[in-house]
Amino acid sequence: MNKALRNPITYIAFILPTLALYALFFVYPVIVSFIYGLYQWDGITDKVFIGLDNFIRLWSDKVFLKSLLNNFYFLIFSLVVNIPLVFLISIVISKVSRLRDFYKSAVFVPVVISTATVAILFGVLYNYDSGLINQFIRLIFPDSWAREWLSDPKLAILSILIANAWQNVGFFIVLCLAAILNIPKEIVEAAKIDGVNAWNETWTITLPLVRPILFVMLLLSVSGTMKVLDIVQIMTNGGPFQSTEVMSTYMLKVGFRSMELGYGSAIGVAMFLIILVLTFILNRVTKHEEVQY
């Protein structure tokens, strides 16, 4: 047995199936998408080679640029609102001694709900006539304060951002809370003996020690917000007036409705490259280091 484990062929035999699946479902689609992006093709007739025209067209396509901006809205909302909120809620739950497991389970419930269900649920909540949000507004304020949350181009993207955050923050809270609870009690007790108050403990002890998890959350936020699709597709389908269009929904419309598979592939490649560049920049900026207790 030990001789077999020392044989490199044993490790290669275990790794090859994973590498094969990775190549089949990730590497191959990326390469094929780039190749298709070099052609004008409707998926039926013969492909016509046009070089980089599809990729050049992206930067003069106002709808694509608008969809890219909306993806950045998702990213900025996640970095500025979601992650600080996650850290705050995690700190609060970590300080609770009773029913902590209940709170952990409660915040995680939205994560296990399908995105389609979340989108439909918030669609009902945002309904102008019977939605709970407008009904609550009418109880306190004049009727004119009620809003068409998903039909107003100025409010639609914010409404989706809130729904998307409600579903996803629970996952990040569980990650962050696990990191906080993993901090050795000796460190916290020593800080209290030195007279450190709760505020200073959070900023000088807890925050630095959970930095690796925050870095992971940043990476997941970049990847997730640049690929967001289903919740937008169900709630608004990119409307009204393309105010909530994101790159994924635009790629589907171009590729399968307008039958421009070449241009749709170019959009997919652009998404991949944007995520790759943002991830690289994030790695360089954050200078991720392992925390030593």
Side-chain angles (χ1 to χ4, degrees), residues 211-232:
R211 186 175 56 193
I213 293 299
L214 295 178
F215 174 76
V216 172
M217 290 163 56
L218 289 173
L219 286 179
L220 293 175
S221 296
V222 169
S223 176
T225 55
M226 289 293 116
K227 297 185 299 183
V228 63
L229 167 64
D230 38 11
I231 195 165
V232 178

Side-chain angles (χ1 to χ4, degrees), residues 100 180-192 201:
R100 180 185 294 165
I180 293 173
L181 296 178
N182 195 45
I183 297 174
K185 293 182 179 179
E186 295 81 3
I187 297 177
V188 178
E189 290 173 356
K192 290 181 179 179
E201 176 191 330

Side-chain angles (χ1 to χ4, degrees), residues 128-160:
Y128 179 78
D129 295 315
S130 58
L132 184 62
I133 296 175
N134 278 340
Q135 292 289 356
F136 179 75
I137 290 174
R138 290 187 180 104
L139 286 175
I140 303 175
F141 305 104
D143 185 72
S144 60
W145 285 46
R147 291 290 182 267
E148 292 276 7
W149 298 100
L150 296 178
S151 300
D152 187 339
K154 296 180 180 179
L155 297 174
I157 188 68
L158 177 61
S159 302
I160 296 177

Side-chain angles (χ1 to χ4, degrees), residues 1-278:
M1 182 67 180
N2 291 333
K3 184 178 180 181
L5 290 176
R6 288 196 295 268
N7 191 340
I9 298 178
T10 303
Y11 297 98
I12 294 174
F14 280 102
I15 293 172
L16 278 179
T18 303
L19 291 178
L21 291 173
Y22 180 79
L24 179 63
F25 292 106
F26 181 77
V27 178
Y28 176 74
V30 170
I31 295 174
V32 170
S33 295
F34 179 77
I35 294 173
Y36 285 168
L38 301 175
Y39 290 86
Q40 181 180 342
W41 187 41
D42 59 5
I44 301 174
T45 58
D46 293 336
K47 298 188 289 291
V48 178
F49 182 77
I50 58 174
L52 297 175
D53 287 359
N54 281 328
F55 296 97
I56 296 172
R57 175 183 167 187
L58 288 173
W59 309 112
S60 60
D61 186 344
K62 293 182 179 180
V63 180
F64 173 76
L65 295 177
K66 175 64 177 177
S67 66
L68 176 60
L69 179 62
N70 285 335
N71 277 106
F72 274 104
Y73 285 152
F74 274 87
L75 177 59
I76 293 170
F77 192 86
S78 179
L79 300 182
V80 176
V81 178
N82 290 3
I83 292 180
L85 184 63
V86 164
F87 182 70
L88 177 62
I89 295 175
S90 300
I91 289 292
V92 172
I93 295 178
S94 69
K95 300 298 182 183
V96 174
S97 56
R98 298 180 58 186
L99 300 177
R100 180 185 294 165
D101 290 338
F102 169 77
Y103 296 131
K104 288 165 62 178
S105 302
V107 297
F108 195 74
V109 167
V111 180
V112 300
I113 301 175
S114 69
T115 305
T117 303
V118 172
I120 293 171
L121 171 64
F122 273 85
V124 173
L125 291 175
Y126 287 137
N127 185 274
Y128 179 78
D129 295 315
S130 58
L132 184 62
I133 296 175
N134 278 340
Q135 292 289 356
F136 179 75
I137 290 174
R138 290 187 180 104
L139 286 175
I140 303 175
F141 305 104
D143 185 72
S144 60
W145 285 46
R147 291 290 182 267
E148 292 276 7
W149 298 100
L150 296 178
S151 300
D152 187 339
K154 296 180 180 179
L155 297 174
I157 188 68
L158 177 61
S159 302
I160 296 177
L161 289 173
I162 293 172
N164 186 65
W166 181 83
Q167 183 185 20
N168 294 318
V169 293
F171 174 73
F172 292 133
I173 289 173
V174 171
L175 284 180
C176 189
L177 185 60
I180 293 173
L181 296 178
N182 195 45
I183 297 174
K185 293 182 179 179
E186 295 81 3
I187 297 177
V188 178
E189 290 173 356
K192 290 181 179 179
I193 292 173
D194 291 338
V196 175
N197 57 34
W199 176 263
N200 288 331
E201 176 191 330
T202 299
W203 289 105
T204 60
I205 298 176
T206 305
L207 184 58
L209 292 180
V210 301
R211 186 175 56 193
I213 293 299
L214 295 178
F215 174 76
V216 172
M217 290 163 56
L218 289 173
L219 286 179
L220 293 175
S221 296
V222 169
S223 176
T225 55
M226 289 293 116
K227 297 185 299 183
V228 63
L229 167 64
D230 38 11
I231 195 165
V232 178
Q233 185 82 4
I234 296 170
M235 293 186 72
T236 62
N237 194 26
F241 308 113
Q242 299 170 330
S243 62
T244 61
E245 198 80 77
V246 290
M247 289 187 288
S248 297
T249 58
Y250 187 51
M251 178 182 64
L252 288 179
K253 290 176 182 177
V254 168
F256 296 101
R257 292 187 184 179
S258 301
M259 298 303 291
E260 295 184 71
L261 293 185
Y263 188 48
S265 297
I267 296 173
V269 172
M271 288 173 55
F272 169 75
L273 293 177
I274 290 169
I275 294 173
L276 194 65
V277 170
L278 289 176

